[in-house]
Amino acid sequence: MNKEAVKMLKEVGVWKRFIVMMILRSPFDILNSVLTANLMCSFIRIIEKEEKEKLAGNAFLYLLFTILLFAYNMIIWQGISAKTTILLQKGLRKKVFSKILELPPEELKGKKGADWISRLNSDIDKACGYLTLPINYLHMLNALVNLLISSVIMAFLNIELYLIGIVVALAAFAINVLFVSKPIGKYKEDARKSLVEYTSLIEVSTKDRDIITMFEGENFLRNRIEEKSKEIFRENMKAHNRSSLGNMFFAFSGMLGYLMILVRGDAIMGKNMEDFAQLCKMTQYRSRSAMSLGCIYNCVNNMKGNLVGVKRVNEVILQEK
């Protein structure tokens, strides 16, 4: 976890609660992967042995395990995650608002005032989103646990097929991180700066309407607001396009790795690979691992933008520390 986020959690007093939430949430993805892979393997073996009467019993058993797993997940989210998010948002808003109340009146006018409004609203939302929103830190942690444990299981099943799958996936991940997603953080920061200026212009247009009319500045102000609105849209679209391009690379690498494992698995069937059911189990783990890698990539991209909010909130709540 980024050290700025750790400082923020400790300052608000939810650090220990957040650690408990991480520990309780982290097994979900890997348990789901194990359940799915073994379900596929058992079904294929039952069909191969022509014991179709066992299909209904196995299906019911796995359905029961799936319901229990998702019920556990819902209990954690509703019982711990929701309360932690509320406490975090409440604590941050209270601290930032207290700081705003201490400011002299001139600090709340014009662009400076818009910047403080941004810290109280947008930046706090991003700071909380970094830790608790979907496809951010918590999901990245779950995906990472799944990726690591699934890799160990795949290596145990067949080291050769595991290496084929992981090399293709890591190559796509490296291309995305080093080249495709690198500018996303800058685009989101530029969008945030434009949003602050946009908020300031909107405030001026409402509070100083008489002065603007006196100097016939309506068209100028309107054009400036329109320009800033377009800048926000352009920068966010740049970040979105980069993220979409990265997802395309992951989709391609996923199909390529899947096909390579099937081709090579067929060649070693009966030698280093026990049977078709085990090969299917391997492909299921590989598929879930590829999904985890893609999830980590998307989480990192979202976290880059939201980390800006964490840093700006810390600039306020930690400035006297």
Side-chain angles (χ1 to χ4, degrees), residues 162-214:
Y162 163 68
L163 291 175
I164 291 174
I166 203 67
V167 166
V168 175
L170 288 179
F173 186 80
I175 291 172
N176 283 328
V177 171
L178 296 176
F179 302 105
V180 178
S181 67
K182 199 170 184 180
I184 289 178
K186 178 182 179 301
Y187 294 150
K188 291 190 175 182
E189 172 64 12
D190 290 343
R192 188 201 63 78
K193 291 179 180 179
S194 296
L195 178 61
V196 170
E197 296 181 21
Y198 175 84
T199 305
S200 177
L201 290 170
I202 292 294
E203 184 181 6
V204 170
S205 69
T206 55
K207 289 186 176 181
D208 301 324
R209 185 178 302 175
D210 294 338
I211 297 176
I212 294 169
T213 303
M214 182 185 303

Side-chain angles (χ1 to χ4, degrees), residues 115-172:
D115 186 63
W116 280 107
I117 293 173
S118 176
R119 290 181 190 266
L120 184 60
N121 296 305
S122 176
D123 289 340
I124 288 180
D125 289 340
K126 287 183 177 180
C128 294
Y130 176 90
L131 295 167
T132 60
L133 278 183
I135 318 300
N136 274 272
Y137 180 78
L138 273 181
H139 276 76
M140 186 192 72
L141 177 67
N142 298 338
L144 185 60
V145 171
N146 180 58
L147 178 63
L148 293 175
I149 299 179
S150 292
S151 295
V152 173
I153 295 173
M154 284 190 291
F156 177 77
L157 290 174
N158 189 284
I159 188 67
E160 181 183 358
L161 296 185
Y162 163 68
L163 291 175
I164 291 174
I166 203 67
V167 166
V168 175
L170 288 179

